[in-house]
Amino acid sequence: MAVLSRRSLLAALAMSAAVPSLTQAQGLSDRNIFIIVPFTPGSGPDVLARIVGEELRKRWNQPVIIDNKPGASGNIGAAAAARTEPDGHTILLSVNTFLMNAALSKSLPYDPVKSFAPIVELATGSLVLAVHPSIPVKSTQELIDYAKGKPGQVTYASPGRGTPQHLAMELFKLTAGVDLRHVPYTGSAGAVKDLVGGHVGAMFVPVHTVLPMAAENQVRLLALGSEKRSTLAPDVPTLAEEGVSGFEVDLWYALSAPAATPKDIIDRYNKVVNEILVSPDVRDQFAKQGLVPVGGSPQQLAALIEQDLPRWAKVVKDAGITQE
């Protein structure tokens, strides 16, 4: 896919000049830098922000504060970031929920394209289709056949409406022609807990989250939603290998700044974050979170956003998903 060809670190990065009046050491100023994370402390995006934020602090000798603003599937934090002064001192760490919300809501308090200046794609993470062992299937095709025999009876969990896990399963339903009943939760913890407890039958889950449960036979992993197999679970096939084609639902994480942030500031962030992403220690920390570092230019992130927006809008429309 075209997206995957963009998901490689640039061999050479354009050097950018700092604004003298903003420079102290290598940082922007003596003021704090805030990374807004529109999810709760301890969540995947929060952990990622803290890894990058600490590396940024060390390189720029400038305080970096992680500012959690959870709620409304990330809308509250994204809207807050969009309203901040475009001087580089506040940036947003977003997930592709950022785009899915735009497809779900007609009154979004921000525009994912017009309200932000892309900085860099940070990482991708794989989602895996998991079922509780009480569902008598051991492959994706067996799940499809089982669900077709029990339309609307097999339940699936998600961390909430409009989340990547929700839309991934809706895309699976459309692609496979099955009817599974959605049970939305108010976060990942409760959803995964109920999957393990057998209160729901299936779920798309970040692969690193569910591996310990699979090792204890508390869940069964059927297939990955990525184009390629995960190094964390090399024995788990992809959905494409299982016969479900045209399916690629990686989570992706990115940094953006408020629109009108000067290009030289965007370029400085892009350069330093690309340097951070090739650090062996950072790559090791990412791997422990099930994440693959990406990097690249602001233009590559902009192209990814441009591609994914209509894609998820189509899934929302075809699945008849409405905001509640």
Side-chain angles (χ1 to χ4, degrees), residues 33-230:
I33 289 174
F34 292 88
I35 301 178
I36 291 182
V37 177
F39 301 96
T40 56
S43 62
D46 175 74
V47 173
L48 182 56
R50 293 179 191 278
I51 294 171
V52 173
E54 174 60 16
E55 292 296 319
L56 185 61
R57 180 194 66 79
K58 290 189 291 188
R59 283 167 169 77
W60 280 4
N61 191 30
Q62 187 168 354
V64 178
I65 296 173
I66 308 305
D67 187 6
N68 298 93
K69 294 184 182 296
S73 296
N75 285 347
I76 291 175
R83 293 192 299 265
T84 60
E85 190 72 22
D87 60 4
H89 289 87
T90 300
I91 58 177
L92 172 70
L93 192 150
S94 60
V95 191
N96 44 349
T97 311
F98 183 63
L99 307 181
M100 297 169 180
N101 290 339
L104 279 167
S105 177
K106 294 181 179 179
S107 57
L108 205 63
Y110 63 88
D111 184 302
V113 175
K114 297 179 181 178
S115 300
F116 297 96
I119 295 175
V120 66
E121 184 182 2
L122 292 173
T124 60
S126 297
L127 292 174
V128 63
L129 176 58
V131 296
H132 186 264
S134 63
I135 304 295
V137 303
K138 294 185 178 180
S139 71
T140 302
Q141 188 57 54
E142 288 182 6
L143 174 62
I144 292 171
D145 294 340
Y146 181 77
K148 285 184 176 179
K150 296 178 179 291
Q153 295 182 46
V154 179
T155 57
Y156 79 90
S158 83
R161 295 178 64 82
T163 58
Q165 293 90 327
H166 175 207
L167 295 193
M169 189 65 85
E170 290 298 323
L171 179 58
F172 174 75
K173 287 168 56 179
L174 290 168
T175 306
V178 294
D179 180 17
L180 284 71
R181 181 163 55 87
H182 184 209
V183 182
Y185 289 75
T186 55
S188 294
V192 173
K193 179 181 178 181
D194 276 7
L195 174 66
V196 170
H199 302 294
V200 290
M203 183 178 177
F204 270 100
V205 195
V207 63
H208 73 285
T209 298
V210 78
L211 280 178
M213 302 155 198
E216 296 294 327
N217 296 316
Q218 296 173 317
V219 299
R220 185 176 297 128
L221 307 184
L222 300 185
L224 288 159
S226 305
E227 186 176 73
K228 298 180 179 179
R229 293 195 182 199
S230 170

Side-chain angles (χ1 to χ4, degrees), residues 244-313:
V244 182
S245 60
F247 198 98
E248 195 268 322
V249 290
D250 281 345
L251 296 169
W252 56 257
Y253 304 82
L255 287 177
S256 300
T261 299
K263 182 180 181 301
D264 64 285
I265 293 178
I266 297 295
D267 289 344
R268 291 189 67 200
Y269 269 114
N270 180 268
K271 179 178 184 295
V272 73
V273 173
N274 272 289
E275 292 171 353
I276 288 170
L277 293 178
V278 298
S279 161
D281 179 60
V282 169
R283 296 179 75 84
D284 181 61
Q285 291 184 69
F286 275 33
K288 291 176 181 177
Q289 299 299 318
L291 300 175
V292 178
V294 179
S297 68
Q299 292 76 24
Q300 287 173 298
L301 175 56
L304 176 61
I305 291 170
E306 183 180 354
Q307 173 180 285
D308 269 13
L309 263 175
R311 177 179 180 230
W312 290 115

